[in-house]
């Protein structure tokens, strides 16, 4: 879930200033510094989302309550964005790892069945060993002669 809320840019700068408790000029400064990047209309007017409003309040809190300068706040915000991005990448890596583990387990299972068949002298037609076929991310096993 998005910690900042709705991303739809709807608020003009005067409303965003009221909602955030900041002066419109402060919002323009934060935009120039890259602390907040509001949407733009065709005429280049700024439109702030609820996410932007929450972010503006957080910038104000970090500045006033924590005594962090704007450069430090910018760095903190960049680190937070990087953290979110890296967590998403880690989630994708975990999913890929789980998929590969499932494929490995499937391969081991087929190998074990083949080994058991060979130990018991069960032979199919020559060249009828099972071979892996990859369909998207799933391994499907089929008889080699059934191509």
């Amino acid at each position: 879930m998005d910690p900042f809320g709705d991303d739809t840019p709807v608020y003009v700068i005067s409303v965003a200033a009221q909602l955030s408790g900041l002066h419109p000029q402060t919002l323009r400064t934060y935009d120039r510094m890259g602390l907040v990047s509001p949407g733009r209309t065709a005429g280049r007017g700024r439109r702030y989302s609820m996410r932007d409003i929450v972010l503006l309040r957080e910038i104000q809190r970090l500045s006033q309550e924590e005594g962090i300068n704007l450069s430090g706040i910018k760095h903190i915000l960049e680190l937070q964005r990087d953290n979110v991005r890296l967590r998403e990448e880690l989630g994708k890596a975990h999913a890929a790892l789980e998929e590969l583990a499932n494929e490995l387990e499937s391969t081991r299972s087929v190998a074990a069945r083949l080994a058991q068949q060979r130990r018991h002298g069960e032979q199919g037609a020559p060249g009828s060993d099972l071979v892996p076929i990859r369909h998207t991310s799933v391994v499907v096993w089929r008889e080699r002669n059934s191509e």
Side-chain angles (χ1 to χ4, degrees):
M1 176 120 196
D2 185 1
F4 293 110
D6 187 13
D7 234 358
T8 309
V10 294
Y11 302 106
V12 296
I13 194 166
S14 59
V15 174
Q18 277 185 322
L19 291 172
S20 65
L22 298 168
H23 192 277
Q25 191 59 42
T26 304
L27 273 61
R28 289 183 190 94
T29 300
Y30 290 176
D31 184 10
R32 279 192 299 277
M33 291 183 68
L35 292 171
V36 177
S37 299
R40 297 286 183 162
T41 64
R44 302 292 299 147
R46 291 173 176 89
R47 291 292 184 270
Y48 292 84
S49 67
M50 186 47 68
R51 175 199 293 240
D52 295 329
I53 303 300
V54 171
L55 184 56
L56 288 166
R57 290 178 183 163
E58 178 64 6
I59 292 168
Q60 183 181 32
R61 186 192 71 75
L62 289 170
S63 176
Q64 292 179 352
E65 294 177 20
E66 304 293 332
I68 301 170
N69 65 26
L70 295 179
S71 178
I73 292 171
K74 183 175 182 176
H75 190 63
I76 288 169
L77 296 177
E78 288 169 354
L79 290 172
Q80 287 175 339
R81 283 185 208 108
D82 286 347
N83 190 23
V84 168
R85 181 184 53 77
L86 291 171
R87 284 180 184 270
E88 289 170 356
E89 287 181 21
L90 183 60
K92 289 176 187 175
H94 279 290
L97 180 61
E98 184 175 341
E99 184 178 327
L100 288 171
N102 290 337
E103 287 183 16
L104 178 61
E105 182 59 33
S106 175
T107 302
R108 285 180 174 161
S109 175
V110 169
R113 281 185 280 148
L114 284 173
Q116 184 179 20
Q117 285 176 358
R118 292 193 190 265
R119 274 195 304 274
H120 292 40
E122 300 171 23
Q123 292 285 346
S128 68
D129 298 348
L130 294 177
V131 294
I133 303 291
R134 184 180 282 267
H135 293 282
T136 63
S137 62
V138 179
V139 173
V140 177
W141 296 87
R142 66 180 174 127
E143 297 270 341
R144 187 174 291 184
N145 285 349
S146 66
E147 293 180 42

